Amino acid sequence: MAAPLGGMFSGQPPGPPPPPQVLPGQPSLLQAAPGAPRPPNSTLVDELESSFEACFASLVSQDYVNGTDQEEIRTGVDQCIQKFLDIARQTECFFLQKRLQLSVQKPEQVIKEDVLELRSELQRKDALVQKHLTKLRHWQQVLEDINVQHKKPTEIPQGSLAYLEQASANIPAPLKQP
């Protein structure tokens, strides 16, 4: 089976992380979800980690590499993935519940976050508009240069070939398509 993920990232001691402080009566990742059987001292995060390890182990297991029954392998992998997805959904529900509690207890915090998101979106869109304006100015200048060249008949050399050469000198070459 795969090694535990604790200590994988720099600055983390090996082993499980210390449990966070929980106020009495508040649900946490340390408490079992109602109706879900959990081993003692098991957290939702621990179960998510172990189910991920089980998924990974089932994909690289020697039993599966040596090739037994393909249907049995598929069933085992599907069960591991389904368990991981179920626990991931439970984890997502936990965080959604916390988000709901935050929005009820501190609605101004949610509004601040929304305002920050809207500001960042406006900045991104302003940058995009500026990029398009820059391109637009460039092409307007190209068109203006072409029009100026056409409006100066006194500078046009005699002969139709010379006129075409001068008129096409400032026109960018078309891009070749593969």
Side-chain angles (χ1 to χ4, degrees), residues 1 47-61 64 72-88:
M1 187 178 249
E47 286 189 32
L48 186 66
E49 180 182 358
S50 65
S51 66
F52 174 76
E53 289 172 352
C55 287
F56 188 72
S58 68
L59 294 173
V60 297
S61 173
Y64 294 149
E72 181 181 329
I73 294 170
R74 182 173 290 132
T75 304
V77 171
D78 285 346
Q79 287 175 349
C80 289
I81 291 173
Q82 190 59 44
K83 180 180 178 189
F84 175 76
L85 291 174
D86 289 342
I87 295 173

Side-chain angles (χ1 to χ4, degrees), residues 129-145:
V129 166
Q130 289 302 320
K131 177 182 167 185
H132 286 297
L133 285 175
T134 303
K135 287 182 180 180
L136 179 65
R137 287 185 195 115
H138 168 74
W139 287 110
Q140 284 175 335
Q141 184 63 42
V142 168
L143 290 173
E144 185 179 312
D145 291 345

Side-chain angles (χ1 to χ4, degrees), residues 111-171:
I111 293 172
K112 285 180 185 179
E113 290 175 4
D114 289 343
V115 167
L116 286 175
E117 285 179 24
L118 289 172
R119 283 185 182 156
S120 67
E121 185 176 343
L122 278 175
Q123 289 174 346
R124 182 184 62 81
K125 288 183 178 181
D126 283 342
L128 187 62
V129 166
Q130 289 302 320
K131 177 182 167 185
H132 286 297
L133 285 175
T134 303
K135 287 182 180 180
L136 179 65
R137 287 185 195 115
H138 168 74
W139 287 110
Q140 284 175 335
Q141 184 63 42
V142 168
L143 290 173
E144 185 179 312
D145 291 345
I146 291 171
N147 285 337
V148 167
Q149 189 178 32
H150 286 287
K151 291 181 181 179
K152 295 183 180 179
T154 57
E155 297 177 10
I156 297 176
Q158 297 301 320
S160 60
L161 184 59
Y163 172 75
L164 288 174
E165 287 176 353
Q166 184 180 8
S168 65
N170 290 334
I171 298 174

Side-chain angles (χ1 to χ4, degrees), residues 10-30:
S10 62
Q12 254 187 337
Q21 295 291 335
V22 179
L23 298 174
Q26 294 238 339
S28 74
L29 289 175
L30 296 176

